[in-house]
Amino acid sequence: QVQLVESGGGLVKPGGSLRLSCAASGFTFSDYFMSWIRQAPGKGLEWISYLSSSGGTVRYADSVRGRFTISRDSARNSLYLQMNSLRADDTAVYYCARARGSTVPFDYWGQGTLVTVSS
Amino acid sequence: DIVMTQSPDSLAVSLGERATINCKSSQSVLYSSNNKNYLAWYQQKPGQPPKLLIYWASTRESGVPDRFSGSESGTDFTLTISSLQAEDVAVYYCQQYHSTPLTFGPGTKVDIK
């Protein structure tokens, strides 16, 4: 069955860095666009980035552009999010999610990993 | 950016009664090439990730009970739960996938009255 398992979350100080991973299984990873979406505690959902199936197309939300970098390793069936210059308002559960393309919905989500930015 | 709004913020409905959630996009999410609205609905239960319910505004995802339905009128969209069940207690989000940044509505919390 489809599985997306995020890891790498934790407590980090403002200005620090963290790298999230998302391990995919149960489907052909290279067929799917992959996104990161986050949810601050008690708040709604915010899409932050996607990467095309080939890795050739990447998009970011304005809130993270220049600080976060999305990447994928098809050999390892994994998606990554390098987060630099972290701020308190980056505190959230970070989900990875798959989609068949850039203009289709997210049909499967991981369980999420919590990132807390605090001194 | 396309801003998604939802109403109400929350609602409480008796078991077996109808629940209606509204979503509005600040601009069209319709592609004229295929006459489809790029609008999805998700259900998020406490402690769980969102689950896709409806896409193309009115197409039910495989395995989703038929008490869930979506409708559209211009930039106004509606999710209806025809007969609320206890397991439907959740927050419901609409999302446009027409253009980046992909955006979600703020969510509507559904409880049992």
Side-chain angles (χ1 to χ4, degrees):
Chain A
Q1 74 281 19
V2 173
Q3 278 203 311
L4 295 170
V5 180
E6 301 92 339
S7 60
L11 176 63
V12 61
K13 289 181 167 51
S17 298
L18 212 54
R19 189 193 195 210
L20 305 184
S21 300
C22 170
S25 60
F27 65 101
T28 304
F29 183 69
S30 57
D31 284 349
Y32 285 80
F33 278 54
M34 297 298 297
S35 277
W36 289 100
I37 299 144
R38 68 185 180 184
Q39 186 170 35
K43 302 297 185 182
L45 300 163
E46 179 189 15
W47 169 82
I48 58 174
S49 181
Y50 77 57
L51 185 58
S52 65
S53 50
S54 67
T57 300
V58 60
R59 296 287 185 269
Y60 295 100
D62 287 347
S63 59
V64 305
R65 186 176 294 114
R67 300 188 300 124
F68 290 10
T69 302
I70 191 172
S71 61
R72 64 193 294 161
D73 183 340
S74 290
R76 295 178 185 270
N77 285 347
S78 291
L79 177 73
Y80 305 101
L81 186 69
Q82 177 67 43
M83 304 186 295
N84 299 329
S85 303
L86 283 162
R87 312 184 302 222
D89 62 358
D90 294 317
T91 294
V93 173
Y94 285 72
Y95 296 102
C96 65
R98 71 172 200 180
R100 276 283 188 180
S102 62
T103 52
V104 289
F106 307 114
D107 67 349
Y108 206 87
W109 301 54
Q111 291 295 315
T113 187
L114 176 62
V115 172
T116 303
V117 184
S118 174
S119 55
Chain B
D1 298 4
I2 299 176
V3 176
M4 308 301 293
T5 56
Q6 287 183 234
S7 64
D9 295 336
S10 64
L11 75 161
V13 175
S14 300
L15 288 172
E17 296 300 305
R18 178 185 301 260
T20 302
I21 300 167
N22 302 300
C23 171
K24 186 176 182 65
S25 57
S26 63
Q27 55 190 274
S28 175
V29 296
L30 178 74
Y31 268 110
S32 55
S33 58
N34 59 10
N35 201 37
K36 288 182 183 292
N37 278 300
Y38 285 48
L39 188 284
W41 289 96
Y42 299 88
Q43 174 194 64
Q44 186 177 32
K45 297 181 179 179
Q48 295 185 21
K51 173 189 172 184
L52 177 64
L53 295 178
I54 302 278
Y55 57 97
W56 305 132
S58 59
T59 301
R60 204 177 299 114
E61 174 73 334
S62 175
V64 172
D66 61 7
R67 62 180 180 274
F68 292 92
S69 64
S71 62
E72 59 208 288
S73 177
T75 58
D76 293 302
F77 304 91
T78 300
L79 175 69
T80 301
I81 310 172
S82 60
S83 175
L84 191 76
Q85 304 300 303
E87 61 265 32
D88 300 334
V89 169
V91 179
Y92 293 83
Y93 296 93
C94 60
Q95 180 232 339
Q96 65 81 17
Y97 47 96
H98 177 279
S99 55
T100 55
L102 307 176
T103 48
F104 294 85
T108 295
K109 185 176 181 182
V110 174
D111 272 321
I112 305 295
K113 185 187 291 182

